[in-house]
Amino acid sequence: MTAPSPDGIRIRIRCYTQPPHPHKRLPDAGLEDCYNTLQYLLRGDKAMAPMRFTMDTTGGFQVPFAWGHNTCAITITDAKAHAEGTFQFVLLAHLAAEVMEGCIKDSTSSLGGEAKLGDEDQFEILVTGTGYKPRDMGVIGNETDDSIAEQRR
């Protein structure tokens, strides 16, 4: 699976796998609901504008933040403490769409996955079933060559 990336931005994608513990089953993400959720990222006049993403409450778009529709949630969160970066919402939507295509539509499961964004993987864009709590589950996914894509232009 490959994910096109803008100049100087590293992108990694991986798909989630079901944990071995039946009491910690991951919820499925509905593809159609994910397409509807994706529209939230593209609404408004700021979809193409560079936006500062940060945990800081003094300016920029504060993360973590989630959009959801029925069985699908798209979340942007910091993967590293004090992460900060400037991206366009259209890039986040593109990454979410890549995860949807590779980890839901073209997958034997519909658990979703994640895209890590930034030169040091500062941010994660998660596409999951609603109710998924990545930091609580302790299960992230499989890291086979087929499920991780890295590209630099």
Side-chain angles (χ1 to χ4, degrees):
M1 182 174 7
T2 60
S5 64
D7 292 340
I9 296 177
R10 187 172 124 203
I11 299 167
R12 294 188 324 132
I13 295 174
R14 86 173 136 186
C15 299
Y16 295 142
T17 57
Q18 200 62 261
H21 309 292
H23 66 281
K24 288 188 173 185
R25 285 198 56 85
L26 302 176
D28 288 340
L31 186 61
E32 194 63 36
D33 289 337
C34 286
Y35 283 123
N36 289 327
T37 304
L38 195 61
Q39 300 306 311
Y40 296 125
L41 279 76
L42 300 172
R43 287 188 180 162
D45 57 349
K46 296 192 178 192
M48 298 297 285
M51 178 70 66
R52 180 175 165 252
F53 290 84
T54 179
M55 285 188 66
D56 188 358
T57 59
T58 61
F61 190 86
Q62 191 172 0
V63 297
F65 192 88
W67 298 265
H69 181 79
N70 293 336
T71 64
C72 183
I74 298 175
T75 305
I76 180 167
T77 187
D78 60 311
K80 297 195 176 197
H82 309 293
E84 192 173 295
T86 302
F87 311 106
Q88 299 169 311
F89 277 103
V90 71
L91 173 61
L92 302 181
H94 173 76
L95 294 176
E98 290 286 337
V99 172
M100 289 162 43
E101 290 292 313
C103 300
I104 298 173
K105 181 180 177 196
D106 296 335
S107 176
T108 56
S109 73
S110 56
L111 300 175
E114 67 184 44
K116 292 191 183 259
L117 176 62
D119 284 336
E120 297 178 9
D121 296 339
Q122 299 100 312
F123 294 94
E124 295 173 333
I125 295 85
L126 312 172
V127 180
T128 63
T130 54
Y132 174 68
K133 296 180 180 166
R135 300 209 198 293
D136 296 340
M137 296 298 283
V139 172
I140 288 301
N142 85 43
E143 294 195 30
T144 65
D145 290 338
D146 292 337
S147 66
I148 295 181
E150 291 188 34
Q151 179 178 344
R152 269 191 201 266
R153 283 188 182 177

